[in-house]
Amino acid sequence: MDFFLTLFSKYKCLIHTVFGHEEYTRVAYKLNAHGIHFRTRSHSHTLRHLGGDMGMMARAEDRTQYDIYVAREDEHQAHVAIHSR
């Protein structure tokens, strides 16, 4: 199914990859602010380790990978938007 979504989607250009929801939100906000339409594919990579916020409780570190795709004609504008202040 993923193959067909990719094949028939106009969002074919992988513009940026980020890790964690906070970083994804920052990039998505910049793209929206510049009026650039995009699609996202996420891959979960959750890491657990001891010593979380409550003593020895395991804390999950958000390592979700977000791949952000834009249409080819928006590639340059997306780069400008992402790297703007």
Side-chain angles (χ1 to χ4, degrees):
M1 187 66 169
D2 244 5
F3 171 75
F4 290 109
L5 289 175
T6 302
L7 183 64
F8 296 111
S9 175
K10 71 176 187 174
Y11 303 100
K12 295 186 186 293
C13 186
L14 175 62
I15 195 70
H16 203 68
T17 298
V18 296
F19 291 92
H21 186 72
E22 186 176 322
E23 185 66 16
Y24 167 72
T25 303
R26 185 185 67 77
V27 171
Y29 174 79
K30 286 184 173 188
L31 291 171
N32 281 328
H34 284 82
I36 300 168
H37 297 280
F38 63 94
R39 292 292 179 260
T40 305
R41 181 174 294 159
S42 64
H43 312 277
S44 182
H45 305 287
T46 303
L47 299 175
R48 295 202 173 270
H49 53 83
L50 294 177
D53 294 336
M54 300 180 74
M56 296 303 285
M57 297 281 293
R59 180 174 59 101
E61 184 178 334
D62 182 14
R63 296 299 299 161
T64 303
Q65 175 182 333
Y66 296 91
D67 295 331
I68 302 169
Y69 294 86
V70 298
R72 291 222 183 270
E73 58 268 13
D74 294 333
E75 181 179 6
H76 177 71
Q77 281 183 294
H79 277 295
V80 170
I82 289 170
H83 299 291
S84 69
R85 290 188 180 247

